[in-house]
Amino acid sequence: MSITNADSADWVRAEIRGGGTVLVDYGAPWCPPCKVLLPLLEDLHQEYGDDVSIVKVNCDEMPDLAGEAGVMGMPTVIVYKDGQPMEKLVGLRPKAAYQGILNKVIQTIGI
């Protein structure tokens, strides 16, 4: 899978409910920390491949979806497993923080 730019809130909801591990990045194109996060997400995509689906949500275009997710600042990264939110990181973090969460969530069996 690749990093996917969300084009509708319904698609994002279906992707999250579809099972597996989904990392959703809630941000905006004008947000400087969000721009710094993009290459980290690309690295994570290379590292985890098909084990993790990565979705970017533009909060300016989908404010209702951001509100549903409880986004209070950007970037906000939420990792879902089998439709359930497992971890939420607000603000830019080092790559190792995202790796640690993904490793933990991928190894979790069941909820």
Side-chain angles (χ1 to χ4, degrees):
M1 299 196 161
S2 62
I3 298 176
T4 306
N5 289 308
D7 58 3
S8 78
D10 288 338
W11 180 86
V12 174
R13 291 181 194 106
E15 183 73 10
I16 290 168
R17 284 191 311 265
T21 303
V22 182
L23 181 152
V24 182
D25 166 30
Y26 296 88
W30 53 263
C31 162
C34 301
K35 292 177 186 177
V36 173
L37 179 58
L38 183 56
L40 298 180
L41 295 178
E42 290 169 351
D43 287 350
L44 293 171
H45 167 63
Q46 293 298 319
E47 205 171 308
Y48 291 92
D50 290 339
D51 290 337
V52 177
S53 177
I54 299 177
V55 177
K56 290 186 62 55
V57 172
N58 183 334
C59 294
D60 289 342
E61 294 176 357
M62 293 184 232
D64 292 345
L65 187 63
E68 284 174 25
V71 174
M72 301 295 282
M74 294 185 285
T76 293
V77 170
I78 302 177
V79 177
Y80 298 88
K81 176 134 185 183
D82 299 327
Q84 298 299 314
M86 302 296 285
E87 293 282 346
K88 181 182 201 176
L89 293 172
V90 179
L92 183 63
R93 303 291 176 88
K95 180 180 168 186
Y98 303 107
Q99 288 170 314
I101 288 171
L102 288 173
N103 291 338
K104 182 173 83 173
V105 169
I106 288 169
Q107 293 173 4
T108 303
I109 299 174
I111 301 293

